Every structure is written in structure tokens, then in C-alpha cells.
Amino acid sequence: DAMVIQNPRYQVTQFGKPVTLSCSQTLNHNVMYWYQQKSSQAPKLLFHYYDKDFNNEADTPDNFQSRRPNTSFCFLDIRSPGLGDAAMYLCATSRRGRSRSPTDTQYFGPGTRLTVL
Amino acid sequence: GEDVEQSLFLSVREGDSSVINCTYTDSSSTYLYWYKQEPGAGLQLLTYIFSNMDMKQDQRLTVLLNKKDKHLSLRIADTQTGDSAIYFCAERKSASKIIFGSGTRLSIRP
């Protein structure tokens, strides 16, 4: 089945120790997104890739970086995790066409829950 | 602002209808969505409605849109235990940006 896969599902890191979260997709979608979701809050968009073009949200801290080496994979790098970065990190994908369409709808992976000790 | 607002909790009896409400801010939003999130899982798209529609029905789900009041609702008929989840309302701001509400946690009483 076509899907969005996130690894690992649970990640524990130490304060200040760099960590990388992984997302892969078999949907062949051209847009990939990273969201941060804290408990009882809305998912918050960090950034997205449209093909190879990186689009950062204005309020995303510099501590968060992303890489997309190919269509299928996208990584979230947290350079120096703080206690406030503990959250669920959601990857999503969509296919952006030439016109507005619900097919631009985003499809989500199961998330990676990050714990910072 | 960019707020999409929902009540945090809803409790209904099994077999009754659930109605989850949402208000949004941007009258130019073209699509509005309802997502479902089960414990430990990602967000699953349930349904969407285009802004020129008032209503959309899909099996047990009915979406009502009041564009004048910027109010969106999701009705789940014959609510079952498997419907227990967090339901997120979302509005599409641009081709690559969706703004989510904080989610409504639906719990089912026997």
C-alpha cells in the first residue's frame, strides 16, 4: 500500500545532542512537510519541500533543519534539542498540481514522538 | 489571526450522533478539512468541503459549512466506539499551508 512512513516511532535524545528523524513515502508526491505537534495542540508547520525547493516558516527556530535527498525521503534535523522540543513530529506529503484541488490534500505519517532528557 | 477554533472535548453515548464544531477566520479559504487522529497515530483525512458548498454527506459523516459565519461542523451519525479519537478541523490557506485547530477529543459512553 502507498503510504508515508516515519522512523523511528519513538526517539529519545539528550539535551543538546543532535537528532535526525526520517520520513519516506511511496506516494510519489512532490511536496513533503514537517509538523511539530505538542500535547493537546494543533500541528504546527515547520517547513516543507516543493520538489527540491525548501520553504521555511517564518517562526521556525534555526535549530530545526531539513534535507530532502530525493523524492521519497525527507529528514528533520534538530541540531541542539532543548526540553521544549519534546513533541510529536509529523511528516506529510501532497501532490501539488497546477490548479487548486483537493488532491493537494496532505497525507500524514504516524509520527515520531521525541523525548528530550 | 490564523486561528481555527474548536472545543476541546465532546462526550456522546454510543449510537447517538456526534456534532463537532469549528470556526475559522479566513473567508478566502477554498477548502476546509476534517482529520481524525487516533492514539499514537498520524492524522487521517476524513472528508473535505469546497467553500462554495453548504453541505457534504459521506456515509455516516455530514459536513455543514456556513460561510457567512465561518462555521464548519462535522456530524457523525450512529457514533461507535471506533470513532473515539481527536478530530481536527483545518482550513487551507495556500497550496502548501493548512491551518489546524487544536482538535476535539471525542469520547464514547456505553
Side-chain angles (χ1 to χ4, degrees), chain A residues 9 31 33 35 37 40-43 45 48 57 90 96 100-102 104-106 108-110, chain B residues 28 30-31 33 35 37 40-43 45 48 88 92-98 100-102:
Chain A
R9 294 293 309 277
V31 191
Y33 310 79
Y35 287 85
Q37 186 184 21
S40 301
Q41 295 184 20
L45 181 64
H48 74 275
E57 291 298 300
L90 297 167
R96 187 189 300 182
R100 290 186 172 184
S101 148
D104 288 5
T105 298
Q106 296 179 23
F108 284 79
Chain B
S28 67
T30 51
Y31 290 96
Y33 305 90
Y35 281 84
Q37 187 177 36
L43 277 68
L45 178 66
Y48 64 88
F88 290 91
R92 179 171 163 174
K93 303 286 284 185
S94 70
S96 297
K97 188 157 186 174
I98 295 176
F100 289 90
S102 296

Side-chain angles (χ1 to χ4, degrees), chain B residues 79-93:
Chain B
T79 309
Q80 302 298 309
T81 54
D83 296 323
S84 291
I86 301 175
Y87 291 82
F88 290 91
C89 169
E91 64 172 334
R92 179 171 163 174
K93 303 286 284 185

Side-chain angles (χ1 to χ4, degrees), chain A residues 10-19 80-87 113-117:
Chain A
Y10 301 90
Q11 176 74 56
V12 180
T13 191
Q14 292 179 329
F15 183 94
K17 185 175 180 182
V19 66
S80 181
L83 298 178
D85 297 328
R113 183 167 295 283
L114 178 68
T115 300
V116 181
L117 301 178

Side-chain angles (χ1 to χ4, degrees), chain B residues 21-87:
Chain B
N21 295 301
C22 167
T23 56
Y24 61 98
T25 56
D26 189 349
S27 58
S28 67
S29 294
T30 51
Y31 290 96
L32 296 133
Y33 305 90
W34 284 104
Y35 281 84
K36 176 183 181 182
Q37 187 177 36
E38 297 185 45
L43 277 68
Q44 172 198 353
L45 178 66
L46 279 180
T47 187
Y48 64 88
I49 188 168
F50 187 49
S51 57
N52 69 353
M53 298 168 66
D54 298 323
M55 185 183 86
K56 181 178 180 181
Q57 188 151 3
D58 182 2
Q59 299 182 328
R60 291 192 297 123
L61 305 178
T62 303
V63 179
L64 294 177
L65 175 60
N66 181 329
K67 199 172 177 183
K68 173 176 170 289
D69 295 337
K70 301 192 193 71
H71 183 266
L72 184 73
S73 69
L74 173 69
R75 178 177 180 268
I76 305 172
D78 187 24
T79 309
Q80 302 298 309
T81 54
D83 296 323
S84 291
I86 301 175
Y87 291 82

